Amino acid sequence: MIVDLNSRYGLNPAHSEVVAACKVIEPCNMLDMGCSSGRNALYLSQLRFNVTAIDINPSAVDMLKNIILEEKIANIKSYIYDMNTASLDEDYGFISCTVTLMFIDPTRVNSVIADMHARTSPGGYNLIVCAMNTDEHPCPAPFPFTFKAGQLRDAYKGWKMIKYNEDVGTMHNGAKLQFATLLAQKPN
Ligand SMILES: C[S@@+](CC[C@H](N)C(=O)[O-])C[C@H]1O[C@@H](n2cnc3c(N)ncnc32)[C@H](O)[C@@H]1O
């Protein structure tokens, strides 16, 4: 039986793109980059993924670790990690990075994506959702990094594009902006 751990710990439901990706991707070793307090990690663990959940924020990681202990969850490990270092040291069948790339150092984004590519197993998947800044929809928030039109798609040349769009979305405060959403599969 799947228990709604997100509600139990006051977390939002998993990101809708993570939920959608799990309809395509079989359970495997997966990495949640910028996991915050674990809303996606908890969901994925209940679907039998082996989750590594990493974030730069120690209190977010502590909260997730407390949930892991409290619920005796065996298939999530979580630790503090600065994505700007682009220094992953394991391979994964699925790497997910939802609404997080826009917070990192813009000069490190290419290295971070290259590291994600290198650490994805052949046939494995990357999911990225990130804010954009375009002429049609200037980004209303002062994120350090935003994608330009087509930029994220171009970073995945040679991968099978399962999903790609640059749809307009709404932030918590109601402001409108475009998000680049990509689910892509690495060639075998
Ligand atoms: C808006 S939250 C998104 C959390 C989660 N991915 C989700 O979908 O709910 C962004 C997260 O990125 C983390 N973050 C920001 N900069 C980071 C960095 N350099 N390395 C790792 N995590 C970072 C923040 O601590 C925060 O938890």
Side-chain angles (χ1 to χ4, degrees):
M1 186 184 67
I2 291 192
V3 179
D4 186 356
L5 291 178
N6 289 41
S7 294
R8 182 178 290 174
Y9 290 95
L11 301 175
N12 286 329
H15 193 288
S16 57
E17 295 297 344
V18 171
V19 175
C22 290
K23 306 213 184 316
V24 175
I25 307 170
E26 295 293 324
C28 59
N29 290 338
M30 78 81 54
L31 177 68
D32 183 6
M33 293 180 86
C35 62
S36 190
S37 306
R39 66 167 176 153
N40 298 324
L42 291 169
Y43 176 80
L44 288 155
S45 81
Q46 293 204 295
L47 294 182
R48 307 274 175 246
F49 285 82
N50 288 317
V51 181
T52 300
I54 57 179
D55 200 285
I56 199 169
N57 182 342
S59 39
V61 170
D62 275 353
M63 179 172 168
L64 177 54
K65 282 183 167 175
N66 285 336
I67 298 172
I68 293 168
L69 276 179
E70 186 73 26
E71 300 292 336
K72 301 182 175 54
I73 297 172
N75 63 348
I76 306 180
K77 63 178 175 186
S78 185
Y79 56 89
I80 295 165
Y81 173 84
D82 180 0
M83 284 171 55
N84 291 307
T85 61
S87 56
L88 301 176
D89 58 6
E90 278 181 59
D91 292 347
Y92 302 94
F94 175 28
I95 299 180
S96 174
C97 185
T98 50
V99 283
T100 293
L101 270 185
M102 59 247 219
F103 296 102
I104 73 169
D105 176 349
T107 67
R108 300 297 297 151
V109 171
N110 288 345
S111 299
V112 169
I113 292 177
D115 197 36
M116 291 170 70
H117 287 190
R119 287 306 187 178
T120 304
S121 307
Y125 296 84
N126 282 183
L127 171 67
I128 292 177
V129 179
C130 180
M132 301 183 66
N133 183 29
T134 64
D135 292 341
E136 301 77 36
H137 295 281
C139 184
F143 298 128
F145 173 76
T146 46
F147 280 113
K148 299 290 178 204
Q151 185 181 355
L152 180 57
R153 187 202 296 271
D154 289 349
Y156 279 79
K157 285 207 172 96
W159 288 49
K160 181 178 176 190
M161 211 51 75
I162 310 292
K163 178 176 200 172
Y164 185 80
N165 66 59
E166 298 182 348
D167 290 350
V168 177
T170 309
M171 297 203 330
H172 301 297
N173 62 6
K176 301 272 186 203
L177 75 163
Q178 271 176 278
F179 286 90
T181 298
L182 168 140
L183 177 63
Q185 185 177 23
K186 185 172 176 172
N188 273 303

